[in-house]
Amino acid sequence: MPIIDNNATPMPEPEDGRSSRRFVNKEAGAANLTIGELVMQDGSALRLHTHPTDEAIFLLEGQVEMVVGDEHRVVVAGHTLLAPPGTPHRLINNSGAPARMYTIFPTDNPTTEYVD
């Protein structure tokens, strides 16, 4: 089993107020798992989208608005968004500070379909 140094994969420069990297994936030896990190700057948002698999987003630092289906909540670190397959969801950061989170998919090839 590999032990992965998350810091060995540098975080790219922000694009549209967001930076993301994946450190657990097929290239790292995972058969059916992808874990990444997402940093959202203040004023950034993810478009409303779905996935054919579950997605869990664990908020590590900061505050974001989580939208899952009909539920909208502003949450702080320690909350997790769970989007079952096909469930529209998005994140919005209007908190005045960056937000950092882990994204988790039970697949080695996450795909996204945009709703808006």
Side-chain angles (χ1 to χ4, degrees):
M1 285 194 173
I3 296 174
I4 299 166
D5 178 2
N6 300 345
N7 297 312
T9 304
M11 182 66 80
E13 289 297 314
E15 190 172 310
D16 294 326
R18 301 181 305 275
S19 298
S20 65
R21 63 183 176 159
R22 293 188 172 154
F23 39 83
V24 173
N25 54 20
K26 189 174 189 174
E27 290 77 28
N32 291 299
L33 183 64
T34 300
I35 301 176
E37 181 179 17
L38 171 64
V39 176
M40 295 179 66
Q41 300 300 319
D42 177 45
S44 66
L46 299 178
R47 290 174 51 195
L48 190 65
H49 64 280
T50 64
H51 306 283
T53 64
D54 291 306
E55 180 185 18
I57 302 174
F58 182 81
L59 186 59
L60 299 165
E61 297 173 5
Q63 175 181 301
V64 295
E65 179 181 355
M66 292 183 170
V67 178
V68 184
D70 294 331
E71 186 176 358
H72 297 242
R73 288 182 52 195
V74 175
V75 299
V76 297
H79 285 81
T80 301
L81 175 152
L82 176 60
T87 302
H89 59 284
R90 69 183 298 205
L91 300 171
I92 304 161
N93 183 359
N94 287 321
S95 69
R100 187 171 72 91
M101 58 212 78
Y102 283 162
T103 58
I104 304 161
F105 297 91
T107 177
D108 69 336
N109 186 25
T111 59
T112 301
E113 183 174 320
Y114 293 102
V115 175
D116 62 0

